[in-house]
Amino acid sequence: MDKKAISSAVVIAGAALIAFGFNMFLIPHELLSGGVSGIAMLIGYLTSLNISILYFVLNLPLIIWGLVVIGRRFIIISVGSVIATTWFMQIIPVRELVQEPILGAVFGGVLVGVGAGITMRTGGSTGGFDIVGSILTRKRDFPLGQILFILNGGVIFILGYFKNNWDLALFSMLSIYIAGKMIDTIHIRHIKVTAFIVTKQKEAMLKKLLTVPRGVTVIRTEGAYTSQEQDLLMTVTTRYELVELKKMIKEADPKAFVNIVETVGVLGEFRRL
């Protein structure tokens, strides 16, 4: 199947999971998902306006910001996710699938987190504070889910204040925390790895590796057993991009020796995609 078709299917599946989590677990108990969707829910609870339409309208300014800062592909995927989520929220009925609010918070958080996580794995977002979080992680090495949890905290307190029901606020916070953990489990872009590549095909390898905006350090080495000179190429990337890196190495030199280790931290210049 075509890669774009797979990405589109994943985005649609993610949107369906998010909409199902909203309409079946969160909205029936007047819980919030946090962020822009949480703001849309809050306005909907207080005014009886259509939450799915509010979700779409409130996402537009952030989508435009993301287009300027992040890039076209990211926003195309994000727009597709927002539109698909809005559509699914229209066709999936709002129904109380579970009676206990805590169950709604837990399972709603899991579904929303999985839906958002798999969408981010395709290179986009589900809109809202996901865009804000994605922009911030380009500047700092913070897990995205934790950033979203911090950004969403203010929305939760507004719910407790206006509804005068702090149980709902705490259940909503639980839901957002679970969703954040699910996102961090699936969306692993903040985890860095270092690849040490020993090859005799330096030029061919560099030609492949330098097609992506990652730095490569070339070190001249000598095999202890053979006493033959070879080149060691070192590059730092994300675990999210590791599959593509392995593919490029195999195409350039199938006989290359590769050692991949997880990186605790990166200081200095490192471009975050």
Side-chain angles (χ1 to χ4, degrees):
M1 187 181 291
D2 183 74
K3 187 176 180 180
K4 290 184 178 179
I6 294 175
S7 296
S8 298
V10 170
V11 170
I12 292 172
L17 288 173
I18 293 170
F20 192 85
F22 285 169
N23 286 7
M24 291 292 182
F25 292 100
L26 300 183
I27 294 176
H29 295 287
E30 294 194 339
L31 301 176
L32 302 182
S33 66
V36 170
S37 57
I39 295 172
M41 290 176 183
L42 183 61
I43 296 174
Y45 298 154
L46 298 177
T47 64
S48 298
L49 293 174
N50 188 291
I51 293 176
S52 62
I53 300 301
L54 288 169
Y55 171 78
F56 179 78
V57 171
L58 292 175
N59 267 297
L60 287 179
L62 292 177
I63 288 173
I64 294 171
W65 183 28
L67 179 62
V68 174
V69 176
I70 300 175
R72 184 170 174 269
R73 184 178 185 275
F74 176 88
I75 291 304
I76 289 175
I77 296 174
S78 301
V79 169
S81 174
V82 170
I83 292 174
T85 302
T86 302
W87 183 70
F88 279 120
M89 288 180 70
Q90 293 280 359
I91 64 173
I92 297 174
V94 176
R95 192 173 66 189
E96 191 176 275
L97 202 61
V98 294
Q99 295 183 349
E100 294 295 329
I102 190 170
L103 293 177
V106 171
F107 287 98
V110 169
L111 289 174
V112 172
V114 171
I118 63 175
T119 301
M120 290 176 185
R121 284 291 297 267
T122 65
S125 80
T126 56
F129 282 179
D130 292 348
I131 294 177
V132 179
S134 295
I135 292 172
L136 291 178
T137 53
R138 288 167 175 262
K139 305 298 183 182
R140 296 288 186 274
D141 277 331
F142 295 134
L144 184 56
Q146 292 183 18
I147 290 179
L148 298 183
F149 182 71
I150 293 171
L151 292 173
N152 291 330
V155 182
I156 300 303
F157 287 105
I158 293 174
L159 172 69
Y161 177 79
F162 278 103
K163 299 294 290 187
N164 195 27
N165 187 334
W166 293 103
D167 285 352
L168 292 180
L170 293 176
F171 285 141
S172 296
M173 188 170 290
L174 173 64
S175 176
I176 292 173
Y177 178 78
I178 292 172
K181 285 298 181 182
M182 294 304 299
I183 290 171
D184 279 344
T185 299
I186 298 171
H187 181 268
I188 53 177
R189 191 169 291 183
H190 65 280
I191 299 177
K192 308 296 184 298
V193 295
T194 300
F196 298 93
I197 309 160
V198 179
T199 179
K200 295 180 180 179
Q201 308 294 329
K202 182 183 75 171
E203 297 303 326
M205 191 69 70
L206 286 174
K207 187 176 180 181
K208 286 284 186 182
L209 296 179
L210 293 177
T211 58
V212 295
R214 299 294 185 203
V216 181
T217 299
V218 180
I219 305 170
R220 196 66 179 168
T221 61
E222 180 181 301
Y225 181 75
T226 63
S227 297
Q228 293 182 351
E229 287 193 346
Q230 299 186 83
D231 292 293
L232 186 149
L233 280 59
M234 184 189 75
T235 184
V236 179
T237 186
T238 67
R239 203 163 77 186
Y240 173 75
E241 300 163 305
L242 192 53
V243 173
E244 186 64 25
L245 177 66
K246 290 178 179 178
K247 181 181 176 182
M248 289 190 292
I249 294 171
K250 188 175 181 180
E251 289 174 352
D253 183 7
K255 295 182 179 180
F257 174 80
V258 185
N259 181 26
I260 299 171
V261 297
E262 187 168 315
T263 302
V264 175
V266 178
L267 301 177
E269 297 267 340
F270 181 82
R271 178 168 179 172
R272 298 173 174 84
L273 298 182

